[in-house]
Amino acid sequence: MSADFNASSFSYLFLPYTKQRSPSVLAKMSSHQVKVLEQWQISPPPDSVPTTSLPFTFFDVPWMFCCPIQRIFLYQVPFSAAQFTDQVLPRLKKSLSLALQRFFPFCGNFVCPPQPSEPHILYNDGDSVQFLVAQSTGALSEFLSDGLRDSKEIHTLVPPTPPTRILYDTLVELTPLLAVQVTLFPNSGLCIGIKHRHTVADGISSTHFVKTWASIFQANCDMSCVCISLPVIDKGVIKDPEGSKDAMLGLWRAWGSPTWKEDAAALMEDNVRATFTLSRYEIERMKKWVSAKCDNGPLHLSSFVVTTAFIWVCLIKSLDVVTNNASKDVARCHFGFAVDCRNRFGLAIPDTFFGNCIAGRIVSFPRGKFREEDCVAPVAAAIGHSVQSLDKGVVDGCRNSFSKWTEMHESGDDILTVAGSPKLAHYDTNFGWGKPRKTEVVHIDITGSISFSESRNGDGGLEIGLARNRRQMEVFTSFFQQGLNQFV
């Protein structure tokens, strides 16, 4: 079983979302200002998709708590403003419409009715997604750097969160599920920013959608030339004989049926972000080092296991330095991740299933152990054992992890989670302009997660995205480099 997971992770639970910004000017920094030029509502072609109601499964319920998933794709292409408006934009809109015909739940709404009715996703003919066209006064190169940079600027490249509507006669909440923003850097490049609710799709499904859109655009909207598999939009393939969904909905209702209510802008006030890279050689050396330090039997040491252990240790150590060990009274630290369950673990779920199909796991480790010498090895062993435990039962594990997560959130313990996966291959998202110069997970500023993707160089390495306050990022960078020197 591979542990380089095909998943968005267990990373956004119980975290607030970014409040909607002004529709005309999203933000102004030192040299970078993004102005929205046009706003469109893009639907599937008329009468191409019938009204459809999709129930939730036990894989969907945990994600009702989370903030939206946000990702950007940066392309270095020398489109002038006129060329973009006349040639590129019309095809982007048409190809998006055709992609949404196949991934129509993105156009629908998350319906949250009063009890005892259950939440679900509803698509009606004519439902649409918000599509913003913007232009930046800054340089594309500002966003291609891996070094420390202000977290706020990248948020100007994703669309505002579409607001929830309340049908006052029934008190039903209707929440749009997807928004798209295309930002032009004249004569330099463009950015495609995607924001969607995790309740509608996990990382595999959203990546499938974006790559389908890119393929249709590249084929000049000639569907006979598009060679990409269709999504399976059938919740019936998820079996739940033990009633796990009902148990999870019970926990959700006990929490007061929360979704995403608060403004998280304050969480980014002092944040900087950076991208850390690990080469394939460095990862293999790390595996050998960990293996040599562990003598307690066979270990599951994938790239995911050793890398997340290393990053987790560096983060805890850097936090101790910044807080002068003020967090030492926290007894345990927790690490949450998720694994794709399509066609695995005895579940007959198609590879192209659309929705959420990821099971969470939580690794807990004594806080004091992070201060011991060579602690990366036992931390990696603990993560590896958790990965192996997935073979023993996905459904029960998913329900138990959800219950444990609610308890940990109330305890105030340190929790680290992961977003993204190298196997999603985001650098293969080609609209005909070549692969992205860079792609990033934006919402890690809000969730505190670490993001994972494949190396843009195609060398088998990894890119790790991280956002923290400047002081902790500087200390983390020092521990990161010291650790690499130790392994290599």
Side-chain angles (χ1 to χ4, degrees):
M1 180 179 106
S2 170
D4 291 322
F5 299 117
N6 294 334
S8 304
S9 81
F10 213 51
S11 56
Y12 325 107
L13 294 179
F14 315 109
L15 292 165
Y17 76 108
T18 306
K19 192 174 183 179
Q20 183 172 349
R21 297 180 289 267
S22 164
S24 56
V25 177
L26 301 185
K28 184 177 181 180
M29 302 299 167
S30 56
S31 61
H32 172 71
Q33 182 176 349
V34 172
K35 184 175 182 179
V36 174
L37 305 177
E38 298 180 55
Q39 178 172 322
W40 301 79
Q41 294 297 130
I42 307 296
S43 303
D47 301 321
S48 62
V49 182
T51 294
T52 306
S53 178
L54 297 172
F56 280 180
T57 73
F58 65 86
F59 283 126
D60 296 317
V61 174
W63 307 112
M64 293 193 294
F65 292 92
C66 75
C67 77
I69 296 176
Q70 304 171 54
R71 178 176 285 276
I72 61 168
F73 301 83
L74 294 160
Y75 296 89
Q76 195 162 25
V77 283
F79 294 134
S80 67
Q83 184 181 14
F84 172 76
T85 301
D86 296 340
Q87 300 176 22
V88 180
L89 181 56
R91 183 147 51 118
L92 279 173
K93 292 189 293 184
K94 183 176 180 181
S95 56
L96 177 58
S97 173
L98 293 172
L100 289 171
Q101 179 182 352
R102 287 146 184 82
F103 294 83
F104 65 86
F106 273 130
C107 296
N109 286 278
F110 166 47
V111 181
C112 190
Q115 296 186 36
S117 299
E118 292 188 357
H120 58 279
I121 291 172
L122 177 64
Y123 171 81
N124 286 305
D125 186 34
D127 283 348
S128 60
V129 303
Q130 179 178 271
F131 180 82
L132 301 182
V133 180
Q135 184 169 311
S136 172
T137 59
L140 180 70
S141 58
E142 295 177 14
F143 295 94
L144 300 181
S145 168
D146 284 346
L148 294 182
R149 54 210 186 274
D150 192 329
S151 287
K152 298 186 196 72
E153 294 204 7
I154 198 172
H155 284 262
T156 66
L157 300 178
V158 292
T161 302
T164 293
R165 295 181 294 119
I166 298 178
L167 302 181
Y168 290 99
D169 55 338
T170 60
L171 298 181
V172 172
E173 294 184 5
L174 299 178
T175 303
L177 296 169
L178 172 69
V180 179
Q181 179 177 319
V182 178
T183 304
L184 175 68
F185 295 80
N187 304 307
S188 175
L190 59 81
C191 173
I192 293 179
I194 306 291
K195 177 184 286 189
H196 74 85
R197 305 287 185 179
H198 210 317
T199 46
V200 66
D202 59 19
I204 289 181
S205 291
S206 59
T207 300
H208 188 189
F209 161 69
V210 176
K211 289 183 177 179
T212 298
W213 179 21
S215 296
I216 295 172
F217 179 92
Q218 192 171 176
N220 200 20
C221 301
D222 182 352
M223 297 306 297
S224 65
C225 299
V226 177
C227 298
I228 197 162
S229 55
L230 293 175
V232 175
I233 304 176
D234 178 9
K235 299 288 185 146
V237 302
I238 308 266
K239 307 303 180 184
D240 185 14
E242 298 180 9
S244 293
K245 182 184 78 169
D246 291 339
M248 290 180 174
L249 283 173
L251 284 172
W252 174 67
R253 292 182 178 117
W255 268 59
S257 304
T259 50
W260 37 87
K261 303 282 186 188
E262 300 175 24
D263 178 9
L267 296 178
M268 298 187 293
E269 279 304 314
D270 189 38
N271 268 17
V272 294
R273 59 189 294 137
T275 303
F276 298 85
T277 59
L278 289 170
S279 69
R280 186 173 185 176
Y281 170 76
E282 290 168 331
I283 295 169
E284 292 303 316
R285 292 295 300 173
M286 199 183 305
K287 290 180 184 178
K288 292 180 180 179
W289 184 91
V290 170
S291 181
K293 294 290 181 180
C294 295
D295 56 1
N296 55 346
L299 289 175
H300 181 90
L301 293 181
S302 67
S303 298
F304 174 88
V305 168
V306 296
T307 302
T308 53
F310 175 47
I311 298 296
W312 191 14
V313 168
C314 290
L315 276 171
I316 296 297
K317 288 185 173 182
S318 64
L319 183 60
D320 281 351
V321 170
V322 171
T323 62
N324 294 317
N325 291 318
S327 56
K328 64 183 178 182
D329 294 333
V330 177
R332 300 185 72 80
C333 300
H334 310 284
F335 173 64
F337 63 92
V339 61
D340 174 38
C341 298
R342 294 165 175 83
N343 270 333
R344 300 172 72 177
F345 316 114
L347 303 177
I349 303 171
D351 289 334
T352 56
F353 171 77
F354 178 87
N356 286 290
C357 192
I358 48 179
R361 277 295 184 272
I362 297 170
V363 178
S364 299
F365 211 72
R367 182 66 186 244
K369 292 287 187 181
F370 286 91
R371 300 184 182 91
E372 296 180 359
E373 186 177 3
D374 297 340
C375 61
V376 172
V379 171
I383 296 174
H385 289 319
S386 181
V387 169
Q388 289 176 312
S389 74
L390 283 160
D391 292 325
K392 299 178 182 179
V394 172
V395 178
D396 286 343
C398 190
R399 180 169 57 187
N400 294 337
S401 293
F402 182 54
S403 177
K404 185 177 180 180
W405 198 272
T406 61
E407 297 172 5
M408 289 189 312
H409 178 68
E410 293 179 328
S411 73
D413 288 352
D414 287 317
I415 305 171
L416 177 67
T417 51
V418 183
S421 163
K423 285 197 170 182
L424 296 179
H426 285 109
Y427 282 104
D428 291 341
T429 307
N430 188 353
F431 282 79
W433 315 313
K435 69 179 184 178
R437 279 295 308 277
K438 194 169 190 183
T439 176
E440 290 200 67
V441 177
V442 177
H443 60 261
I444 61 172
D445 299 298
I446 300 171
T447 63
S449 307
I450 55 176
S451 67
F452 265 67
S453 73
E454 78 279 19
S455 170
R456 76 198 80 167
N457 300 322
D459 57 3
L462 293 173
E463 294 182 4
I464 302 100
L466 182 64
R468 292 294 188 276
N469 67 65
R470 182 174 292 274
R471 173 62 177 149
Q472 187 179 357
M473 287 288 278
E474 291 170 348
V475 177
F476 172 88
T477 302
S478 177
F479 279 119
F480 182 86
Q481 192 55 56
Q482 289 174 24
L484 285 188
N485 293 340
Q486 179 183 20
F487 302 135
V488 177

